[in-house]
């Protein structure tokens, strides 16, 4: 495990380059180019605001902002998983022809999406101010929540990417599962809205504490529930270690199976 | 002697799937149809590569050369055994793997170099050298999408050789680019050798192997058939290839289609004994005669004669010399070429030619006879020389190849320097 991490660190330059490639290649050839990184969330926000303020009126005050606060970190997770699951198969040319720690491929996807998420904050924070939701000291908890979430996203993406080499259906299954997972996560609605008899179900959803924490620090302006966040981070850490171990085992045959 | 790469009891098994089920549906429906065949690509290979050595892997297609190279470079994982590596490895397996078409040449240099394990600082240090070596200064800021395939490969090679590895693995990539670039690649490889780097490379070009390899390992069906000094192993290998080739020709003849469409055999004698190192280092050239070939045509006697037709092994520069080769055909062959080669005692290949190169129209050799090579003026300078003679096919597959079969000396009254005397005169004119 330690050896594995050292090896990845030795190839950090490649990781950096792949992340840059991922970020720039996405909008390469389009007129606005990198600006799309900002336009995308902005346009999403505008659409939501119009729909939920004028068409489908939701009782919750600043509903579109509530939605936006939960949606951005969710996208970080979901996009990482969906792009990451195919990353090793897609990078087959490289895997078959050169040596590098294979973890680099899914990791570059996670980091690229992390950067995208951070950049989208440049839209989120001003938007919050505009609709007069106060930014409080609770923002200090943001890095902690982000790190905890990243542990989970990394573990999940590594595991999916490695398993997909041997079982290609995973690519399609991931898409469906992510959609279902989205609806069973309190992003479109606050957790309080869930009927009490179903609340037990949500205890098994690992991302609830994270999304809840983001809503706390951005939307409600309060510190997150440290106990549930802490247990989440602990679980995510164990999951990541497990994923790395499984990955290391599965990666031996990548070059022949792809 | 420290060791760069140590391959210990290495085996690699592949599973060949007749039709590998890739999806869940296929797996469920065809669960009992999974036909797997085991295939041992490598079996119990032991190989030690000393630091600073250049070693060639030879063998027929599918013999496991590339698999071995991929295991050494850690792309594939061995089924059994292990590989111990001492130093940084750079692999020239496929050039330009990892280029992004939309990025410029410059951006791709950084991307590619980092994939090969180079830091940004190191890449920056080599950047100009890389661009210059690839001869792409004009185009370096254009997207590689617009590059020709040659430019693509040049850039890939250029990056790969500037990674400054301790151990360089090369798989059959020398055949890329135009002739000038190939020459540059070879120079680069020689530079690596001078710097004491270890090189392992796979090729089918036997003359290249003999020119640049210290050692050769010959793989056959996943097993190490022979390894050792380059010329010894290559000779054994060529013997076997010649035998097989002959068998194949025979089969074809029986089928009535004598269309000798042979594989690209390089002229065997070409550049054969060019020294890459001073002779003191290579035990391989030290004046020992060697002989190989399938002896379907055998050279039974070789003599050198002077102007008077007397046997003689000491000549004055500029005198006529005749080389006589007596031969016997043990089997009737139609494709026969006789050749000679002259080497100075420091292994400089001074001259070589054969009846094919000289376009001699010889209609049917008698089953036994004498071939004379008459040299009008032996313009070699003073020194000690060796004579090679050979009978082989047009493609260079030897019937009888005899190196250093005779030794002779040349003396001269004029103490000019170099290898050969060029006919000349000096003239001074008033301006």
């Amino acid at each position: 495990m330690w050896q594995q991490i050292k090896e990845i660190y030795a190839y950090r330059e490649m990781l950096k380059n792949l992340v840059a490639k991922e970020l720039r290649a996405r909008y390469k050839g389009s007129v606005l180019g990198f600006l799309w990184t900002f336009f995308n969330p902005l346009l999403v926000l505008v659409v939501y605001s119009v729909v939920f303020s004028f068409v489908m009126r939701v009782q919750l005050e600043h509903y579109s902002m509530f939605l936006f606060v939960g949606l951005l970190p969710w996208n970080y997770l979901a996009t990482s998983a969906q792009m990451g699951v195919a990353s090793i198969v897609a990078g087959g040319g490289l895997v078959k022809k050169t040596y590098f720690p294979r973890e680099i491929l899914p990791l570059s996807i996670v980091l690229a999406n992390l950067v995208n998420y951070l950049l989208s904050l440049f839209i989120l924070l001003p938007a919050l101010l505009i609709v007069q939701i106060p930014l409080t000291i609770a923002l200090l908890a943001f890095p902690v929540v982000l790190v905890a979430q990243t542990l989970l996203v990394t573990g999940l993406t590594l595991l999916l990417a490695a398993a997909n080499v041997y079982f290609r259906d995973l690519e399609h299954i991931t898409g469906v599962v992510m959609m279902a997972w989205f609806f069973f996560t309190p992003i479109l609605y606050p957790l309080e809205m869930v009927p009490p008899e179903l609340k037990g179900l949500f205890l098994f959803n690992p991302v609830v504490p994270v999304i809840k924490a983001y809503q706390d620090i951005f939307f409600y302006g309060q510190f997150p529930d440290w106990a549930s966040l802490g247990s989440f981070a602990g679980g995510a850490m164990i999951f990541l270690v497990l994923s790395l171990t499984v990955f290391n085992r599965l990666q031996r045959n990548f070059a022949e199976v792809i | 002697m420290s060791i760069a790469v140590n391959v210990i009891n290495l085996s690699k098994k592949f599973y060949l799937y007749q039709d590998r089920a890739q999806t869940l549906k296929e797996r469920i429906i065809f669960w009992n149809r999974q036909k797997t065949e085991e295939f041992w690509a490598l079996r119990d290979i032991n190989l030690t590569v000393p630091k600073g050595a250049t070693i060639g892997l030879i063998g027929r297609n599918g013999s496991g050369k590339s698999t071995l190279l991929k295991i050494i470079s850690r792309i594939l994982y061995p089924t059994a055994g292990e590989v111990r590596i001492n130093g940084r490895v750079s692999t020239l397996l496929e050039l330009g793997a990892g280029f992004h078409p939309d990025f410029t040449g410059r951006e791709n240099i950084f991307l590619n170099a980092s994939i090969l394990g180079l830091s940004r600082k190191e890449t920056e240090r080599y950047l100009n050298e890389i661009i210059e070596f690839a001869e792409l200064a004009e185009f370096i800021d254009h997207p590689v999408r617009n590059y020709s395939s040659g430019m693509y490969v040049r850039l890939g090679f250029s990056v790969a050789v500037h990674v400054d590895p301790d151990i360089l693995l090369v798989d059959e990539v020398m055949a890329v680019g135009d002739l000038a670039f190939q020459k540059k690649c070879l120079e680069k490889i020689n530079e690596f050798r001078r710097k004491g780097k270890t090189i392992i490379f796979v090729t089918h070009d036997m003359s290249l192997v003999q020119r640049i390899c210290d050692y050769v390992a010959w793989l056959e069906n996943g097993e190490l058939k022979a390894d050792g000094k380059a010329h010894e192993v290559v000779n054994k290998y060529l013997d076997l290839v010649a035998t097989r080739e002959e068998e194949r020709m025979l089969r074809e003849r029986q089928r009535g289609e004598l269309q000798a469409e042979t594989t690209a055999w390089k002229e065997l004698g070409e550049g054969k004994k060019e020294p890459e190192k001073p002779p003191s280092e290579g035990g391989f050239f030290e004046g020992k005669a060697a002989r190989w070939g399938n002896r379907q045509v055998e050279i039974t006697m070789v003599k050198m004669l002077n102007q008077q037709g007397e046997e003689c092994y000491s000549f004055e520069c500029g005198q006529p010399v005749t080389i006589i080769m007596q031969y016997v055909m043990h089997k009737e062959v139609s494709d026969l070429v006789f050749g000679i080669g002259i080497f100075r005692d420091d292994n400089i290949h001074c001259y070589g030619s054969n009846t094919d190169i000289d376009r001699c129209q010889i209609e049917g050799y008698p089953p036994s006879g004498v071939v004379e090579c008459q040299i009008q003026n032996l313009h070699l300078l003073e020194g000690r020389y060796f004579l090679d003679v050979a009978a082989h096919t047009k493609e260079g597959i030897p019937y009888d190849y005899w190196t250093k079969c005779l030794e002779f000396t040349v003396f001269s009254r004029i103490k000019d320097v170099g290898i050969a005397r060029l006919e000349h005169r000096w003239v001074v004119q008033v301006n």
Side-chain angles (χ1 to χ4, degrees):
Chain A
M1 167 73 68
W2 184 236
Q3 195 58 40
Q4 202 180 350
I5 292 168
K6 249 168 61 185
E7 190 73 4
I8 295 171
Y9 181 72
Y11 274 79
R12 61 194 179 281
E13 186 65 34
M14 177 184 181
L15 185 56
K16 218 166 73 189
N17 274 315
L18 284 186
V19 171
K21 170 185 149 179
E22 196 59 49
L23 288 172
R24 292 190 309 148
R26 201 177 293 182
Y27 301 111
K28 200 97 191 178
S30 62
V31 180
L32 292 177
F34 197 68
L35 281 180
W36 272 113
T37 311
F38 301 103
F39 272 111
N40 242 337
L42 185 64
L43 291 178
V44 169
L45 182 61
V46 168
V47 172
Y48 284 165
S49 304
V50 171
V51 171
F52 294 115
S53 316
F54 302 109
V55 185
M56 180 184 146
R57 298 200 189 163
V58 180
Q59 291 306 308
L60 199 70
E61 202 187 356
H62 300 309
Y63 176 71
S64 54
M65 287 317 296
F66 173 84
L67 178 53
F68 200 50
V69 163
L71 193 65
L72 292 177
W74 173 262
N75 280 344
Y76 167 35
L77 179 129
T79 318
S80 293
Q82 271 173 44
M83 287 168 61
V85 66
S87 59
I88 287 168
V89 175
L94 272 186
V95 172
K96 278 204 271 199
K97 285 162 195 161
T98 42
Y99 169 78
F100 57 90
R102 295 0 185 157
E103 290 88 347
I104 297 282
L105 289 174
L107 283 181
S108 71
I109 301 280
V110 171
L111 288 182
N113 282 302
L114 173 64
V115 171
N116 255 334
Y117 175 40
L118 289 176
L119 290 174
S120 69
L121 295 182
F122 286 104
I123 302 296
L124 176 69
L125 295 178
L128 287 171
L129 287 174
I130 289 168
V131 298
Q132 289 174 338
I133 294 174
L135 298 175
T136 68
I137 188 95
L139 281 179
L140 290 177
F142 175 73
V144 181
V145 183
L146 188 67
V147 168
Q149 188 194 1
T150 301
L151 292 177
L152 174 78
V153 176
T154 308
L156 183 68
T157 309
L158 282 174
L159 199 61
L160 288 174
N164 186 55
V165 174
Y166 300 92
F167 180 57
R168 306 280 165 94
D169 298 62
L170 210 53
E171 238 170 286
H172 311 289
I173 294 173
T174 304
V176 178
V177 170
M178 289 321 276
M179 189 187 64
W181 195 0
F182 172 71
F183 285 108
F184 285 95
T185 303
I187 296 166
L188 288 173
Y189 46 85
L191 190 59
E192 294 76 42
M193 220 189 236
V194 177
E197 58 269 31
L198 280 180
K199 268 222 167 104
L201 200 67
F202 282 73
L203 288 176
F204 293 103
N205 183 348
V207 294
V208 172
V210 178
I211 298 294
K212 193 82 183 47
Y214 282 121
Q215 288 162 349
D216 278 340
I217 59 182
F218 287 122
F219 192 73
Y220 298 112
Q222 63 194 25
F223 277 102
D225 175 4
W226 293 111
S228 68
L229 193 65
S231 55
F232 166 81
M237 192 69 217
I238 292 167
F239 177 64
L240 176 60
V241 168
L242 204 78
S243 291
L244 277 168
T245 313
V246 171
F247 191 99
N248 198 28
R249 180 75 212 155
L250 290 179
Q251 59 95 11
R252 291 179 179 183
N253 292 328
F254 279 176
E256 3 185 330
V257 179
I258 287 175
Chain B
M1 182 169 57
S2 61
I3 287 166
V5 178
N6 198 2
V7 177
I8 305 156
N9 298 327
L10 188 79
S11 294
K12 177 71 188 173
K13 180 168 66 179
F14 285 121
Y15 291 99
L16 301 179
Y17 296 91
Q18 220 116 72
D19 183 20
R20 188 182 154 72
Q22 295 272 12
T23 64
L24 184 61
K25 185 190 89 188
E26 284 173 21
R27 270 200 200 180
I28 292 169
I29 300 176
F30 304 123
W31 62 275
N32 56 352
R33 264 197 227 171
Q34 281 275 310
K35 274 195 201 147
T36 58
E37 258 176 75
E38 282 183 6
F39 169 71
W40 287 91
L42 291 174
R43 236 192 269 252
D44 221 16
I45 305 283
N46 282 288
L47 198 63
T48 312
V49 182
K51 214 166 233 164
T54 302
I55 175 166
L57 296 179
I58 61 172
R60 308 205 310 166
N61 288 331
S63 57
K65 306 178 298 277
S66 295
T67 305
L68 179 56
L69 215 56
K70 280 186 175 175
I71 291 176
I72 294 173
S73 61
R74 293 197 289 170
I75 294 170
L76 292 176
Y77 199 88
T79 310
E82 63 172 318
V83 176
R84 290 197 193 133
I85 291 170
N86 234 327
R88 172 145 90 172
V89 179
S90 172
T91 318
L92 290 184
L93 290 185
E94 194 98 1
L95 298 173
F99 277 178
H100 193 290
D102 283 339
F103 289 178
T104 67
R106 191 186 302 275
E107 290 167 325
N108 269 304
I109 289 176
F110 282 100
L111 183 62
N112 210 238
S114 72
I115 291 172
L116 296 171
L118 220 60
S119 76
R120 186 166 189 94
K121 241 197 220 137
E122 285 172 302
T123 313
E124 268 162 6
R125 182 144 48 94
Y126 293 127
L127 187 63
N128 287 331
E129 238 179 283
I130 292 174
I131 296 171
E132 201 180 311
F133 188 86
E135 299 164 16
L136 284 172
E138 280 175 75
F139 304 103
I140 202 65
D141 289 312
H142 289 265
V144 299
R145 172 162 32 90
N146 302 334
Y147 281 21
S148 74
S149 55
M151 290 157 80
Y152 207 82
V153 164
R154 288 210 303 269
L155 189 62
F157 186 87
S158 185
V159 175
V161 294
H162 284 91
V163 170
D164 198 26
D166 304 309
I167 302 163
L168 184 71
L169 308 179
V170 188
D171 189 0
E172 204 70 79
V173 288
M174 307 299 292
V176 300
D178 53 22
L179 277 175
F181 191 72
Q182 272 185 32
K183 197 160 159 280
K184 246 165 96 175
C185 298
L186 266 180
E187 274 162 20
K188 196 78 200 173
I189 298 235
N190 277 326
E191 188 191 314
F192 270 114
R193 300 185 60 209
R194 278 196 300 275
K195 282 189 192 158
K197 313 266 185 183
T198 311
I199 304 172
I200 303 180
F201 86 102
V202 166
T203 184
H204 291 287
D205 185 343
M206 289 305 137
S207 80
L208 184 67
V209 168
Q210 298 211 340
R211 246 183 303 159
I212 71 177
C213 291
D214 305 312
Y215 302 97
V216 167
W218 170 14
L219 290 174
E220 178 94 8
N221 297 325
E223 284 169 45
L224 193 63
K225 185 126 176 171
D227 69 318
K229 286 263 166 62
H231 69 297
E232 286 166 13
V233 180
V234 168
N235 289 344
K236 276 192 220 163
Y237 176 71
L238 286 178
D239 268 353
L240 187 85
V241 171
T243 317
R244 283 202 185 129
E245 190 64 16
E246 196 56 41
E247 282 165 7
R248 192 181 70 84
M249 301 262 280
L250 206 68
R251 277 200 306 276
E252 273 183 11
R253 199 174 308 202
Q254 280 161 357
R255 266 190 273 128
E257 34 170 313
L258 189 78
Q259 202 41 277
E261 200 262 344
T262 32
T263 36
W265 276 102
K266 290 278 151 68
E267 178 57 36
L268 188 76
E270 171 201 329
K272 191 175 169 60
K273 296 282 184 265
E274 246 173 64
E276 295 294 337
K277 290 181 173 181
S280 59
E281 279 183 61
F284 152 6
F285 295 124
E286 271 152 21
K288 266 202 350 217
R291 196 170 177 179
W292 64 89
N294 59 21
R295 302 289 164 90
Q296 286 172 357
V297 175
E298 188 175 352
I299 296 171
T300 49
M301 189 206 49
V302 184
K303 272 201 284 197
M304 294 176 86
L305 306 180
N306 64 12
Q307 204 163 4
Q308 288 75 39
E310 298 156 345
E311 195 169 342
C312 178
Y313 298 99
S314 176
F315 307 94
E316 187 175 350
C317 177
Q319 270 187 346
V321 175
T322 302
I323 298 163
I324 288 191
M325 286 178 256
Q326 198 174 328
Y327 72 90
V328 178
M329 279 188 200
H330 295 295
K331 199 174 156 201
E332 198 187 324
V333 296
S334 56
D335 181 5
L336 178 55
V337 172
F338 283 96
I340 57 147
I342 295 175
F343 294 85
R344 204 162 69 185
D345 60 353
D346 57 357
N347 291 306
I348 301 267
H349 190 169
C350 302
Y351 188 71
S353 188
N354 63 36
T355 52
D356 189 42
I357 293 173
D358 289 336
R359 296 176 195 278
C360 270
Q361 300 295 333
I362 296 167
E363 293 297 328
Y365 287 93
S368 72
V370 174
V371 176
E372 285 189 9
C373 176
Q374 300 169 345
I375 300 167
Q376 273 87 18
N377 304 99
L378 186 71
H379 272 311
L380 292 170
L381 296 192
E382 197 162 70
R384 191 166 147 248
Y385 295 88
F386 295 99
L387 177 70
D388 284 15
V389 295
H392 52 79
T393 66
K394 282 201 176 71
E395 285 78 25
I397 298 165
Y399 297 120
D400 193 355
Y401 202 116
W402 201 352
T403 69
K404 304 209 164 144
C405 71
L406 289 178
E407 184 187 330
F408 64 96
T409 53
V410 176
F411 59 90
S412 169
R413 282 164 236 264
I414 308 162
K415 300 297 169 196
D416 41 2
V417 293
I419 297 169
R421 178 172 302 158
L422 306 180
E423 299 258 28
H424 64 280
R425 64 201 179 102
W426 298 91
V427 177
V428 179
Q429 278 171 337
V430 183
N431 209 351

